[in-house]
Every structure is written in structure tokens, then in C-alpha cells.
Amino acid sequence: MFDDPERMTIDELDTPSVLIDLDIMEHNITEMQSRCDGLGVAFRPHVKTHKIPEIARMQLDAGAVGIAAQKVTEAEVFAADGIDNILIPYNIVGPRKTARLLDLAIYNRVTVSADSEATVRGLSEATAPKGMPLRVMVELESDQKRAGASVERAITLAQKIEADEHLFFAGLLIYPSMPSIRPLLQEVLTRLDGHGIGVDVVSGGGIGAAMHMAEVPEISEIRVGTYVFNDWRTVADGNAGFADCAMMVRCTVVSKPDEGRVILDGGSKTFSSETLNDLYGYIVEYPDARLYRLNEEHGYVDVSACDARPNVGDIVHVIPVHACVVTNLHNMIFGHREGVVEKEWPVAARGCVW
Amino acid sequence: MFDDPERMTIDELDTPSVLIDLDIMEHNITEMQSRCDGLGVAFRPHVKTHKIPEIARMQLDAGAVGIAAQKVTEAEVFAADGIDNILIPYNIVGPRKTARLLDLAIYNRVTVSADSEATVRGLSEATAPKGMPLRVMVELESDQKRAGASVERAITLAQKIEADEHLFFAGLLIYPSMPSIRPLLQEVLTRLDGHGIGVDVVSGGGIGAAMHMAEVPEISEIRVGTYVFNDWRTVADGNAGFADCAMMVRCTVVSKPDEGRVILDGGSKTFSSETLNDLYGYIVEYPDARLYRLNEEHGYVDVSACDARPNVGDIVHVIPVHACVVTNLHNMIFGHREGVVEKEWPVAARGCVW
């Protein structure tokens, strides 16, 4: 697409384009690994944030124990690239999906989670003809009230997995693993110990949890995705600063209907529709501007509070609300160092919902 | 991917999958064309809803005058398939984009819109060396307060385009063209007439506007996208019924943490984060269920108001809030007739943000 990518600068990119500042990203990778190493917690980056095998390799080279992927097809992309230790923290349900999972698990060290007897039964049935055990963790319910088993159900599931000749009980999993989950975790660990069931791994997750993992010493492994790029939400939550945000979306002002409003060439197809305080992104050059509404290809910006205001043709850079969903919308993202484009990454695992 | 797609049923599809009921879609295409034919309004379907050339051909075969695409790269996909009359209702800004636009306009009948002198100047400069005029409409600002020129600016722009030897004034454009815009439209038409400037085309847009176009007889052409599939929002707005919704997303229940909540295997990567009354979709089998929260791969459903409740492994079908953004998230969508899969469509123009 470009004749000489080595010498291209971000100014030559079409807009909207997703930029990754490589210096910041590399710093983020090193920092999180050091934080985990310092606490003796295994680090397992969640690749959903970038969906790019080369970045996963950088995370592994820095010391990560393996990766987390959210769906079987997402895991397949990384396995095809030779990455071997993959946790899928998800209930894999239905014969089509479990068959695909088992195909992956023959050649790779794959672990999944389960929070119901139905899921465990399906995994067992799919594994039975294969003659090798599948690694299954039990997911505990957190304050977030998403998936996850209650304490009672978790004990039952761990026993069932332990007793199932086709499955291997691989530990406990929870998301997010904020300090508030510690009493619950301790109760489950104590009761499993009473049943003679050892827990090799307790896998926590979430960037907020990673900031507080010293307060939950039961956690032996942590899964975090967003830290690699960071986004407006991680900043707003106090888990990073703007200087730690590696991802920005480069946009052009395409309309200025009046002095108080401009329109960007990025909308919900560029940023997604996730909001923070009812806004869709933070505009670096115009911190007082408000990206207050999106259509698919239009970003509505209220610039009435800005002293200097952009004109049609001007370029702005937007820190998105949520980096992971932005990556998923784009075919390609661009890694640069001080404005010189070094990487044109196809988003290899984009759209992997199966 | 599948051995015999002719005989595959939707039960054999992995989840989450986007299904299109072909009978309903064909009915929608015929109905909208008839509505426009009856009023003598040219119909120009917006292909952003489906992003699939074969569906555009069905719309053209039914009588559409051409298509609308929202970005240059989206238009390229359809032009490459041989579709010739393409309107891009957008300010194409910046030398890289205008160059790409002109490459497209050499071989295709392409029209764009402009709402500023800066956009018009850029289009003129890019067209100058080509020796053929580019068709440019003037976009008027509607009640939506998105892009678009005021009356004064519109008159100035039309005069500038008319006077520019490199450009051809192709008419007026507005979105949405609800009846409330009629006085404004009449004023612009009267004043342009006073300046001796004829207006060949007045292009309106929006599904709501299409329902009311008889009330704005100045509209000579209408652009509508969503009608081809319809979605929960078109139903909620009274522009269609549930029986007109061709698009449903097939999901599996993967978790049932308690009796009041289940988790679907579709989240914001499947549905986008657009909401209607704070919900993310309408579950056909459980009309009293509330899809109240999404993470990327998790759909949280409150089933506490449902008499019968789904279990892990059950299949549900979700009518999404906004069909266009769903198409953009998926690599493939599946056309079926009474459950038998007839079409496996790659979403050819997915992710075309440039």
C-alpha cells in the first residue's frame, strides 16, 4: 500500500487512522511485567486489546507466562502464530464450539473456564474421544455479576471436574479480581482444601485489579489487556495517565457548520459507541472540546468552550474511551515512533466472535 | 467453510451469527421502491446498512437509480463490482482523499457533497488537472445539527460551484429530510432560482423522512439504508414492525449464574454499544427479557420478568438496536429462507472508514 513504510510519517496516513506510540507501548509492557514480577504473580496479557500476534510476542518476550484470548477463534489466530499457552476465560458451549476447541487443544496448551454443570458436561463429552484431558478452571462470580459460579456451585463444579477422567481441574478464575473478592476466594480455597482438592492457579483479571493485587495474595496469575495501550477510561479510573496512552485516533475536521461545532471524519465505526461521562473520546489538541455524539462516520464536537478552534482540514488526535473495541473496528493499526511509522499491523484477530 | 451450503440450516451455524431473512429483505426492497415509484421520487439506497454488492444489485434491479456510500473506500468496493451511479454524501477533505476520489470519478459517475468553501476549494484543486468536472451537491444543515451549510452559506457555495470550471453543481442534499426542513428548502430553491441557478436534484435521506416524503414535494430523490433489514429502532420509531425485521443475531446462552440472569455469547463486538431505552437488543423468544449490559463477548440478560427462562445451551435470536453498525462488526452474514441458509455473504465493505 505504501512504497516505503520505513520513511512514512503519520502525516501521510489517511484519516481516521489508529496510531500506536511504540515507545509508550513498550514502556507499558515493561512496567506491568515488572509490577507482576515484583509481587511474584504470573502475568498473562489479554490479547483482545490488540489482537495482533507480534504484540503478544513482545509481551511474552518481556516475561508473560502465556496469553488470554476471549473466544476460540481469537485463540486460533495466536496459536497459528506459534503461541502455545492460551487461557480462554469463557464458557465454551455447544458441540460445534467444543469440537473446535478440542482441535485447538490437541496441539496447544489450552485452558478454559466453566461456571455450570452444563458447560462442564459439554466439555467432558467433547474431550472423551480424544484420550487427553482438557484443562478447565472454575469461574467464580464477582461483584460485577457477569458470569461465574456461586461458592456452593464452584465447590460442586471443582469436584465434578476433579472426578471427571476427561478433564483436569486447572484452578479458579475471577473477573475482576478487586480486593473485595478476597473473603469469597478464601472461603472457596478453604473448602476445596477440606475436600482434598488442590488449586494450582488462581487467575485474577482487570487493570484495576492489577493495581491492587498486592491486597489479594491468593491471586497467583493476573490477566490484563488494556494496559498495553491504555485509554480514556483507564486514565479516568486513575489506572494510568494521559502520558501512558499509546493509542490515539488521528482524525480530520471535515465540517464546521458554525463557530461552536465541528465534525470529525470518525464516528461510531471508528470509536465504537462506548461513552465516558456521555463523551466518546478525549481530543488531545482541544482538551475543552466535547465529542458529544457519533453517527457511523460523523463525530460531533462542541468546541464552544475552546479558545482556539479547529478549521476544516485540521488534524486532531483522539484518545478513545475503550481501546479494545477500537482495535476490533479497524483492519489495520499503525505503530509509530515520534511520528515515523514503523509498523503497519493488520488486526489479525479482528471480528473473531466464534 | 461449509461442505454444502445449499442444505445447511441456521441450526448448524456457530453463534453469534447475523441472520438475514431473505423473504423479509426482498419484501422490504420491493415495498420501499414501490413507495418511491408511487410518489415519483428517485430511490437511492444507502449501502452502509448491508455493505454487500449483491444486495445493492437487488436494490438496483428493483428500480433504484443508484446507490449512496458514506466514504470513498466504501464506494470503491461497489464500483469495483460494476455499480456506477454513486453518491457520497460527505465532505471529502484533504489531498490524499480527494486524489482517491478523483481516481474513482474517472471511471464512475460519482457525486459528492460539500458544506464549506474549504471543501469546495479542495475538490476543485484535485479536479483541475483531470480535465473533467466533478459533480458536487451542497449539503444543507437540518434540525439534526450535524454537518451542512446555513441558507446563506449554501447560496454562496452553490454560486462558487456553479462558477468553478472544474466542478458541476449537482443539486442540494440534506439529512434527515423530515417535513420540518421544507421552509428552509423552499427558501434556498427560491433564492437560487433568483440567481439563475437551477437545481437538478434535491436529495433527502432517512427512513423517517421516507415515510413522510409526500409532505416535502421538493425532494426529488431519497436515500435510505436501514429499511432493507430494519432494526429495533425503526420499529420503536414506528417506521416498521417486528415482522419487517430481516436481521436477527443468533446467540447461545453460555451462563446462568442465577435464576434471574443469563449471559449470551454476543456482546459489544456483536451488537455494538448502541442502546434503545438503555437496552442493547430485543430478544425475540423472551420479549420480557432485558439485554441490559454488554462487555465485548458477554451479553447480560435480566430474565427475572420472564415466565419461562432459558438455560445454558439454549439459542435465542436478538433484533439489534441498529442494523448498520452490526453489519460493520461481522466478517460474514448469512441469508436464509425459512431457516435454510442460501447465502453466505462476506461483508465486502466492512471497516471502510477512509
Side-chain angles (χ1 to χ4, degrees):
Chain A
M1 182 168 209
F2 301 105
D3 290 340
D4 189 352
E6 276 68 42
R7 293 179 53 193
M8 184 168 63
T9 71
I10 57 173
D11 298 328
E12 296 167 75
L13 293 175
D14 209 339
T15 60
S17 279
V18 179
L19 309 182
I20 304 299
D21 185 309
L22 297 172
D23 290 325
I24 298 176
M25 182 183 81
E26 289 164 7
H27 176 77
N28 292 342
I29 290 172
T30 307
E31 275 290 292
M32 183 61 79
Q33 188 64 50
S34 298
R35 173 184 292 271
C36 293
D37 290 348
L39 290 165
V41 173
F43 180 52
R44 182 181 290 279
H46 204 314
V47 297
K48 73 181 180 104
T49 303
H50 52 72
K51 305 181 200 301
I52 294 169
E54 188 180 344
I55 300 180
R57 295 219 161 275
M58 296 168 74
Q59 294 170 311
L60 291 164
D61 289 347
V65 69
I67 63 168
Q70 202 60 22
K71 289 283 181 92
V72 175
T73 49
E74 195 169 74
E76 284 173 353
V77 171
F78 291 83
D81 200 73
I83 292 173
D84 185 45
N85 184 333
I86 306 178
L87 167 63
I88 307 173
Y90 206 78
N91 286 284
I92 308 301
V93 174
R96 178 176 282 260
K97 275 204 164 55
T98 52
R100 198 160 178 169
L101 170 69
L102 267 295
D103 284 348
L104 186 67
I106 289 173
Y107 300 107
N108 301 276
R109 179 185 163 95
V110 172
T111 307
V112 297
S113 66
D115 72 0
S116 72
E117 291 193 32
T119 297
V120 170
R121 198 182 318 120
L123 292 172
S124 178
E125 286 169 9
T127 309
K130 301 289 180 179
M132 44 163 277
L134 178 68
R135 300 172 52 82
V136 183
M137 306 181 89
V138 171
E139 181 176 3
L140 294 169
E141 187 180 51
S142 75
D143 301 339
Q144 181 150 335
K145 301 286 177 198
R146 188 167 76 175
S150 63
V151 171
E152 287 307 322
R153 196 196 279 182
I155 304 296
T156 305
L157 290 176
Q159 289 175 307
K160 280 199 182 289
I161 295 166
E162 186 84 358
D164 191 313
E165 62 179 321
H166 308 301
L167 305 178
F168 177 83
F169 175 62
L172 300 172
L173 181 140
I174 193 162
Y175 174 86
S177 57
M178 296 299 281
S180 57
I181 56 111
R182 196 178 178 202
L184 174 148
L185 202 52
Q186 288 175 322
E187 182 185 351
V188 175
L189 288 168
T190 303
R191 288 182 56 183
L192 286 178
D193 189 56
H195 288 290
I197 298 176
V199 177
D200 294 342
V201 176
V202 178
S203 180
I207 190 168
M211 299 296 135
H212 293 278
M213 59 191 166
E215 299 163 48
V216 194
E218 291 79 11
I219 297 282
S220 66
E221 168 185 297
I222 191 108
R223 313 176 314 275
V224 189
T226 318
Y227 85 101
V228 71
F229 295 155
N230 289 311
D231 51 32
W232 198 17
R233 185 166 289 144
T234 57
V235 173
D237 288 348
N239 295 320
F242 280 127
D244 305 314
C245 290
M247 177 187 279
M248 289 189 194
V249 184
R250 185 177 169 87
C251 289
T252 301
V253 173
V254 292
S255 178
K256 190 175 184 177
D258 59 50
E259 277 304 306
R261 171 170 33 108
V262 301
I263 302 291
L264 305 184
D265 62 352
S268 61
K269 273 175 62 182
T270 297
F271 298 112
S272 94
S273 295
E274 290 200 28
T275 55
L276 178 70
N277 301 329
D278 294 327
L279 300 179
Y280 295 89
Y282 174 85
I283 304 178
V284 176
E285 292 85 353
Y286 300 92
D288 295 324
R290 300 176 67 258
L291 182 55
Y292 65 94
R293 185 174 178 177
L294 302 180
N295 294 141
E296 282 112 294
E297 308 286 10
H298 295 78
Y300 300 54
V301 186
D302 177 355
V303 292
S304 57
C306 305
D307 292 332
R309 296 173 187 186
N311 290 310
V312 172
D314 286 355
I315 297 289
V316 298
H317 294 84
V318 182
I319 296 175
V321 171
H322 187 184
C324 315
V325 294
V326 169
T327 313
N328 188 56
L329 289 166
H330 293 268
N331 295 324
M332 229 170 182
I333 68 176
F334 299 89
H336 72 97
R337 221 177 285 276
E338 293 178 357
V340 178
V341 176
E342 288 188 12
K343 299 287 181 185
E344 298 175 53
W345 278 309
V347 183
R350 198 210 55 71
C352 290
V353 291
W354 288 348
Chain B
M1 188 168 205
F2 301 105
D3 291 340
D4 188 352
E6 277 67 42
R7 295 179 54 194
M8 184 171 60
T9 71
I10 57 172
D11 298 328
E12 296 166 75
L13 294 174
D14 210 337
T15 60
S17 279
V18 179
L19 309 182
I20 305 298
D21 185 309
L22 297 171
D23 290 324
I24 297 176
M25 182 184 81
E26 289 164 8
H27 176 78
N28 291 344
I29 290 172
T30 307
E31 276 289 292
M32 183 60 79
Q33 188 64 52
S34 299
R35 173 184 291 269
C36 293
D37 290 347
L39 290 166
V41 173
F43 180 54
R44 183 181 291 279
H46 204 313
V47 298
K48 74 181 179 105
T49 304
H50 52 71
K51 306 183 199 300
I52 293 169
E54 189 179 344
I55 299 180
R57 297 219 159 275
M58 297 169 73
Q59 294 170 310
L60 291 164
D61 289 346
V65 69
I67 63 169
Q70 203 60 23
K71 289 284 181 91
V72 175
T73 48
E74 194 169 74
E76 284 173 351
V77 172
F78 291 83
D81 200 72
I83 292 173
D84 186 44
N85 184 330
I86 306 178
L87 167 62
I88 307 173
Y90 206 79
N91 287 284
I92 308 301
V93 174
R96 180 176 280 260
K97 275 205 164 52
T98 53
R100 198 161 178 168
L101 170 69
L102 267 296
D103 284 347
L104 186 68
I106 289 173
Y107 300 107
N108 300 275
R109 180 184 162 95
V110 173
T111 307
V112 297
S113 65
D115 72 0
S116 72
E117 291 192 33
T119 297
V120 170
R121 197 182 317 122
L123 293 172
S124 178
E125 285 169 7
T127 309
K130 299 290 180 180
M132 45 163 277
L134 179 68
R135 301 172 52 81
V136 183
M137 306 181 88
V138 171
E139 181 176 3
L140 295 168
E141 187 179 50
S142 75
D143 302 338
Q144 181 150 333
K145 302 285 179 199
R146 188 167 75 176
S150 63
V151 171
E152 287 308 323
R153 195 195 282 183
I155 304 295
T156 306
L157 290 177
Q159 289 175 308
K160 281 199 181 289
I161 295 167
E162 187 84 356
D164 190 314
E165 62 178 323
H166 308 302
L167 305 178
F168 177 84
F169 175 60
L172 301 171
L173 182 139
I174 192 162
Y175 174 86
S177 57
M178 295 299 280
S180 57
I181 57 111
R182 197 179 176 200
L184 174 148
L185 202 52
Q186 288 174 323
E187 183 185 350
V188 175
L189 288 168
T190 303
R191 289 183 56 182
L192 287 178
D193 188 56
H195 288 290
I197 297 176
V199 177
D200 295 341
V201 177
V202 178
S203 181
I207 190 167
M211 299 295 136
H212 293 279
M213 60 190 165
E215 299 162 49
V216 194
E218 290 78 12
I219 297 283
S220 65
E221 168 185 297
I222 190 108
R223 313 176 313 276
V224 189
T226 319
Y227 85 101
V228 71
F229 294 154
N230 289 311
D231 51 31
W232 199 16
R233 185 167 289 145
T234 57
V235 173
D237 289 346
N239 295 319
F242 280 128
D244 305 313
C245 291
M247 178 187 279
M248 290 189 193
V249 184
R250 184 176 170 87
C251 290
T252 301
V253 174
V254 292
S255 177
K256 190 174 185 177
D258 59 52
E259 276 305 306
R261 170 168 35 109
V262 301
I263 301 292
L264 304 184
D265 62 353
S268 61
K269 272 175 62 182
T270 297
F271 298 112
S272 92
S273 294
E274 290 200 27
T275 55
L276 178 69
N277 301 328
D278 294 328
L279 299 179
Y280 295 88
Y282 174 85
I283 303 178
V284 176
E285 292 86 351
Y286 300 92
D288 296 323
R290 301 175 67 256
L291 182 55
Y292 65 94
R293 183 173 179 177
L294 302 179
N295 294 141
E296 283 113 291
E297 308 286 9
H298 294 79
Y300 300 54
V301 186
D302 177 354
V303 293
S304 56
C306 305
D307 292 332
R309 298 174 187 184
N311 290 309
V312 172
D314 285 356
I315 297 289
V316 299
H317 294 84
V318 181
I319 296 175
V321 171
H322 186 185
C324 316
V325 294
V326 169
T327 312
N328 187 57
L329 288 167
H330 293 267
N331 295 324
M332 231 171 180
I333 67 176
F334 299 88
H336 72 96
R337 223 177 284 276
E338 294 179 355
V340 177
V341 176
E342 289 188 11
K343 300 286 182 186
E344 298 175 55
W345 279 309
V347 182
R350 198 209 55 70
C352 290
V353 292
W354 286 348

